[in-house]
Amino acid sequence: MAADYTDLLALMGDVLRAVDRQTEENKKAIEELGARFERRMEQSDARFEAIFDRFATAVADGFIRMEKKIDGVKQEVSELRTDVQHIDQRLARVEANQNTQADMLRRLEVLESIVLRKAS
């Protein structure tokens, strides 16, 4: 008598169909997991870009503020340089006047002595 493997073959067919179904379910689950992972990566990328943009903007704003402060200091230094030049010019005039005044005082003393000699 030949062995009847019909039940065994049917059972193996059921197992293969169950394995195929499970494989399809696993494949769909993996695809869904991959899609969720992709969405999370996109969200993370968007958050990172937003944070980086805010950081870059803050750094740029800081550089702009520092440039303005540096420009202000340069302006102050320029004004101080101009003030120092004016003071130097005034000092030169005062020194020239002192030399002139000393010469005038010497001349006045000579004139005074001449006048006093003639008056006595």
Side-chain angles (χ1 to χ4, degrees):
M1 168 168 217
D4 187 12
Y5 293 112
T6 307
D7 288 343
L8 185 60
L9 288 173
L11 184 59
M12 287 178 72
D14 289 343
V15 168
L16 283 174
R17 281 188 291 279
V19 168
D20 282 345
R21 273 194 311 272
Q22 189 63 46
T23 301
E24 283 299 316
E25 288 176 12
N26 288 347
K27 186 177 177 182
K28 286 179 184 176
I30 289 171
E31 287 173 356
E32 288 175 12
L33 188 61
R36 283 189 4 218
F37 179 76
E38 194 66 34
R39 283 192 302 274
R40 291 246 173 123
M41 287 298 295
E42 289 172 0
Q43 291 171 348
S44 293
D45 286 348
R47 285 196 310 261
F48 174 77
E49 286 179 17
I51 290 168
F52 185 78
D53 286 345
R54 286 194 307 269
F55 174 75
T57 301
V59 169
D61 289 346
F63 276 118
I64 290 169
R65 283 193 303 275
M66 289 307 296
E67 285 178 347
K68 287 181 181 178
K69 286 181 181 179
I70 289 171
D71 288 344
V73 169
K74 284 181 181 177
Q75 180 65 32
E76 286 179 33
V77 168
S78 175
E79 290 171 1
L80 288 173
R81 184 176 289 132
T82 302
D83 290 346
V84 167
Q85 288 173 347
H86 288 142
I87 290 170
D88 282 345
Q89 290 170 355
R90 286 181 189 157
L91 283 174
R93 285 194 303 265
V94 166
E95 288 173 352
N97 284 341
Q98 284 178 347
N99 290 337
T100 304
Q101 288 174 356
D103 188 42
M104 282 179 25
L105 283 175
R106 190 179 51 75
R107 288 181 184 177
L108 284 174
E109 287 172 351
V110 169
L111 284 173
E112 179 184 35
S113 66
I114 292 172
V115 169
L116 287 177
R117 269 188 270 138
K118 286 188 178 182
S120 19

